[in-house]
Amino acid sequence: MDSLLDALQEGRLLEIPDDYDKEDALRFLAHILEAVPSLPPDTDVAGLILAKEGTSKTALGKGWACPDARVPFEEDLICVVGWSPKGIDYGSPDGKLVKVIAMYLVPENQRSNYLREVSLLAKALEIYPEIERLNAADSLNDIRDHLLDLISTTKGTVGPDSRARMIRLQGRAAAVEPAPYDLANLIVEPITILVGDGLKPVVLGHDQALVELLEGFQGLAGELTGHSAFNTGGWRIVKRKEASFTGERLLIDCLALRTSGK
């Protein structure tokens, strides 16, 4: 299960906010995949994930789900893992709330590898003796250690046990609690934007340069109302939720994502 191991080693393990429902969680993780620099900028991972979820269920049971987005180009198989401390009503076949969502971006050249990895994961979930403790974990560090243990229970990938042990030792040596958005080379900024007819957009956020960039962006309101995501100044801006107010004004919650090298 190399892609899952890569996600853990490279920091693609995130805590899903407690107030997120299934669609919110899927969009959140999909937007993280959309921020991968090697992907074409117009790759609508969120749209692909939600469209597939509408026709087929991706819950594996035992508190897990594995949604995937199939894309028509060649790239690495990429995984991002979301952990919900509270659990998400996902419509699982066993009725359990989903605690772990392993989302995959599956390029054309990686489909057989993806099927093999998910098959191994399903097998691991059946034989892993600590599944209840994994579901009861209360921190990202605990979840990470349990996931590494779970991977070690399978022998279907090359050297999974030794590699998982190496990653675990690296994590313990660092002795650092992962931040809620602890992603390798990825910066995630929550922002709120007020737009309306005849109103100059007002951007609220903690990154002053980002606020100034967006408030000076001509056509910001049109991008926000016409698209679910757009790129500007090295940032990818993705909409999360919006609320309507009098005077045809919209208050829009967004995530701004970029890699630290940009």
Side-chain angles (χ1 to χ4, degrees):
M1 291 187 280
D2 284 341
S3 296
L4 183 55
L5 277 170
D6 287 342
L8 299 178
Q9 187 170 26
E10 296 170 8
R12 290 194 300 275
L13 169 63
L14 302 93
E15 182 174 336
I16 298 171
D18 284 344
D19 61 343
Y20 277 19
D21 59 16
K22 175 183 175 180
E23 182 172 333
D24 291 333
L26 292 176
R27 286 187 182 278
F28 174 65
L29 295 175
H31 291 323
I32 298 301
L33 287 175
E34 289 174 354
V36 173
S38 59
L39 263 62
D42 59 347
T43 304
D44 184 11
V45 179
L48 293 170
I49 289 287
L50 293 174
K52 183 169 184 179
E53 197 66 34
T55 59
S56 60
K57 303 305 178 184
T58 57
L60 298 181
K62 298 185 180 293
W64 275 68
C66 283
D68 67 279
R70 309 291 179 96
V71 289
F73 50 77
E74 294 193 356
E75 181 56 77
D76 293 331
L77 181 63
I78 304 173
C79 177
V80 61
V81 184
W83 168 60
S84 171
K86 184 179 178 180
I88 295 171
D89 184 0
Y90 204 96
S92 302
D94 59 4
K96 292 182 179 293
L97 296 177
V98 164
K99 294 293 191 74
V100 179
I101 301 176
M103 179 179 289
Y104 287 85
L105 181 77
V106 187
E108 186 73 33
N109 60 317
Q110 297 290 341
R111 296 192 177 185
S112 60
N113 289 335
Y114 163 72
L115 293 174
R116 181 170 177 265
E117 178 149 333
V118 172
S119 176
L120 287 169
L121 178 56
K123 175 185 175 182
L125 290 174
E126 289 295 328
I127 64 177
Y128 183 52
E130 302 288 345
I131 191 67
E132 294 303 324
R133 289 185 61 189
L134 186 156
N135 288 332
D138 59 3
S139 74
L140 280 176
N141 271 341
D142 286 344
I143 281 291
R144 188 171 182 269
D145 282 345
H146 277 299
L147 293 180
L148 291 169
D149 284 336
L150 180 144
I151 293 169
S152 296
T153 64
T154 69
K155 304 300 181 184
T157 55
V158 178
D161 186 65
S162 59
R163 187 177 171 206
R165 288 176 185 274
M166 178 192 71
I167 296 171
R168 189 184 300 110
L169 288 171
Q170 289 174 343
R172 289 176 180 170
V176 175
E177 178 76 13
Y181 301 112
D182 180 24
L183 293 175
N185 301 318
L186 186 67
I187 297 172
V188 182
E189 289 285 344
I191 52 175
T192 301
I193 305 174
L194 177 66
V195 298
D197 188 24
L199 176 71
K200 184 179 184 299
V202 177
V203 181
L204 303 176
H206 297 289
D207 186 314
Q208 185 62 33
L210 173 61
V211 169
E212 293 175 357
L213 170 71
L214 292 176
E215 289 189 337
F217 177 48
Q218 297 295 322
L220 177 62
E223 290 286 355
L224 287 169
T225 55
H227 303 91
S228 62
F230 65 93
N231 298 327
T232 181
W235 291 89
R236 182 169 180 81
I237 312 300
V238 295
K239 293 198 316 187
R240 295 164 62 189
K241 295 180 180 179
E242 65 180 47
S244 300
F245 294 90
T246 58
E248 297 185 355
R249 297 183 177 185
L250 291 176
L251 192 65
I252 305 172
D253 286 333
C254 301
L255 287 179
L257 307 102
R258 69 176 176 85
T259 56
S260 60
K262 290 186 178 181

